[in-house]
Amino acid sequence: MIVLAIESSCDEFSMAIIKNGVEVLFMETFTQIQTHAKYGGVVPELASREHVRYFSYVVEKVKCFLDAQELVPQAVAVTVGPGLSGSLLVGINAGKTIASILGVPLIPVHHILGHIFSANLSEEVTFPILSLVVSGGHTELIISKTYTNHVVIGKTRDDAVGEVYDKIAKQLSLPYPGGPIIDKMAQQGERTYIFKKPKMDERYAFSFSGLKSAVVNEIRKGMLTESDKINLAHSFQKTVIDELSNKLIQAVEEFNVKTVVLCGGVSANSQLRQRFVEISADYKSLKYLIPKIEYCGDNAAMIGAIANYLPPLSISKQNLIDCSPNLTIAEFFKKYNEVKE
Ligand code: KG4
Ligand code: ZN
């Protein structure tokens, strides 16, 4: 099946043409990083306005590709949540319009499922899967038994990992997004600061706000030299990666899975990727997948990758699709299964 996929949940407007959920024929992403950089984070009102300003540019590129290749998509897939409401609405309305013009079904997609199945764009997953989803809005461990059966076994109680990277970068007067910059700094540093591990009563729950406060306190003491900042970035990153990888290893040992996936924007982190490779060497019988760098952050290819396995809605049901900023995976399946009936 050829799917035209749309992702607009945060500060990227992305469209892609995906064949059979695994082959990316085309992708165009318009990122607003420049717009939000000076504010130290995404400003929701600006994000939706920028989507409105630029989505027609992306649509035009996709149309040129389809015309040149003489291709007609068989379905349109769009992210319905979670995300920023104004941003989601632009993509959903674009999706409804394109699906109705083409006369094809619309497939609503949950953003996190997109991140997980971005792995399929490297190599097809074998179920059951254990995924560590790390992004600007999410830090979750998820077991997937099939494309439509997912259980969240743990998530963050407070900040998401990417969010902490971005907030620390802001304190250091570095532009948004802080993740890639802190990652680069960390590679040159040494562990001169020791931060406490969060104590959690739940086996797979995460918490990063204590670590964030500890790092921010060091910054606010003032007088940090460039090399202190680099060592602080290294020490912070080491604590984060130890925490993520320890919980991932516990889950690998406890659950009988065949594939382990690392995904989401923070999966672009060089040291986290390296640690993931080390874990794969210790637990050899499993398949380990990390999306290519271009599919780690928000993108439409990942939405097309999972859409291939989700139920499409006929044209008469498409008006029931709306944006759900806090949509959980369980709510997503409940809502759209009911719509289908
Ligand atoms: O998945 P994504 O594009 O958007 C969300 O769904 O949140 O993730 C963006 C997040 C940002 O917080 C960004 O700082 C972080 O991913 N990020 C990184 C790196 N590259 C992006 N964090 C750590 N190291 C990186 N190399
Ligand atoms: Zn994301």
Side-chain angles (χ1 to χ4, degrees):
M1 175 165 72
I2 294 195
V3 171
L4 183 156
I6 305 172
E7 157 61 39
S8 73
S9 64
C10 191
D11 57 343
E12 265 91 25
F13 190 90
S14 180
M15 288 177 76
I17 308 293
I18 312 295
K19 191 173 173 188
N20 299 334
V22 290
E23 197 184 336
V24 185
L25 303 181
F26 181 84
M27 184 164 88
E28 180 74 29
T29 303
F30 190 88
T31 176
Q32 308 173 358
I33 281 179
Q34 299 284 345
T35 305
H36 303 285
K38 51 184 175 290
Y39 301 102
V42 176
V43 183
E45 180 58 28
L46 277 181
S48 46
R49 258 192 264 161
E50 290 281 283
H51 280 325
V52 171
R53 268 175 71 187
Y54 291 105
F55 84 92
S56 52
Y57 159 84
V58 180
V59 171
E60 195 55 40
K61 290 252 175 177
V62 175
K63 189 174 175 304
C64 287
F65 171 80
L66 291 171
D67 289 348
Q69 302 292 317
E70 296 183 6
L71 279 175
V72 180
Q74 288 147 293
V76 174
V78 65
T79 306
V80 292
L84 301 171
S85 55
S87 294
L88 287 164
L89 275 172
V90 180
I92 292 170
N93 284 312
K96 284 183 181 177
T97 311
I98 296 168
S100 114
I101 291 169
L102 296 176
V104 297
L106 193 58
I107 307 174
V109 175
H110 190 281
H111 182 78
I112 297 296
L113 297 184
H115 275 303
I116 295 174
F117 294 101
S118 61
N120 267 348
L121 302 172
S122 305
E123 185 185 330
E124 236 168 301
V125 297
T126 309
F127 291 101
I129 315 170
L130 166 67
S131 304
L132 174 60
V133 187
V134 276
S135 74
H138 305 271
T139 307
E140 295 182 10
L141 277 166
I142 299 174
I143 302 275
S144 308
K145 291 193 185 134
T146 66
Y147 283 106
T148 53
N149 181 336
H150 311 270
V151 179
V152 178
I153 58 164
K155 60 181 180 180
T156 181
R157 293 256 181 89
D158 37 60
D159 298 76
V161 192
E163 188 182 354
V164 175
Y165 269 92
D166 298 337
K167 286 179 176 166
I168 289 174
K170 190 175 180 184
Q171 292 294 324
L172 288 168
S173 306
L174 299 168
Y176 168 84
I181 308 172
I182 295 203
D183 184 13
K184 276 213 181 84
M185 288 166 70
Q187 286 170 40
Q188 303 155 38
E190 285 173 30
R191 192 176 194 186
T192 55
Y193 297 84
I194 303 294
F195 296 113
K196 274 196 239 141
K197 270 176 49 173
K199 278 211 183 83
M200 307 301 292
D201 43 12
E202 262 177 67
R203 196 164 155 82
Y204 296 111
F206 296 98
S207 168
F208 294 103
S209 71
L211 173 62
K212 176 189 69 186
S213 303
V215 175
V216 169
N217 284 343
E218 290 297 336
I219 298 168
R220 291 202 177 142
K221 282 182 194 163
M223 311 296 284
L224 290 184
T225 62
E226 277 315 300
S227 89
D228 289 338
K229 288 181 189 169
I230 283 168
N231 289 338
L232 188 60
H234 179 94
S235 309
F236 156 71
Q237 180 152 295
K238 170 99 179 66
T239 313
V240 166
I241 292 174
D242 283 350
E243 181 62 10
L244 293 173
S245 52
N246 287 344
K247 297 241 158 82
L248 182 67
I249 291 169
Q250 276 179 26
V252 165
E253 287 177 350
E254 180 174 341
F255 297 94
N256 195 11
V257 295
K258 294 215 165 81
T259 306
V260 187
V261 171
L262 173 66
C263 60
V266 182
S267 67
N269 185 275
S270 59
Q271 284 170 331
L272 184 58
R273 289 173 92 88
Q274 194 182 323
R275 182 70 67 85
F276 192 73
V277 172
E278 286 161 16
I279 296 173
S280 71
D282 291 341
Y283 298 85
K284 283 202 179 67
S285 56
L286 311 178
K287 190 187 271 192
Y288 288 80
L289 300 176
I290 321 182
K292 290 185 194 143
I293 292 284
E294 61 263 41
Y295 304 128
C296 286
D298 291 346
N299 68 87
M302 69 184 196
I303 301 305
I306 175 64
N308 201 56
Y309 305 96
L310 295 176
L313 298 185
S314 62
I315 292 171
S316 64
K317 298 276 168 70
Q318 287 172 12
N319 60 343
L320 297 170
I321 296 183
D322 56 10
C323 93
S324 314
N326 301 312
L327 190 68
T328 65
I329 297 175
E331 287 164 355
F332 167 77
F333 282 107
K334 185 167 184 297
K335 177 171 177 168
Y336 290 105
N337 276 339
E338 278 171 9
V339 169
K340 209 175 52 170
E341 289 149 17

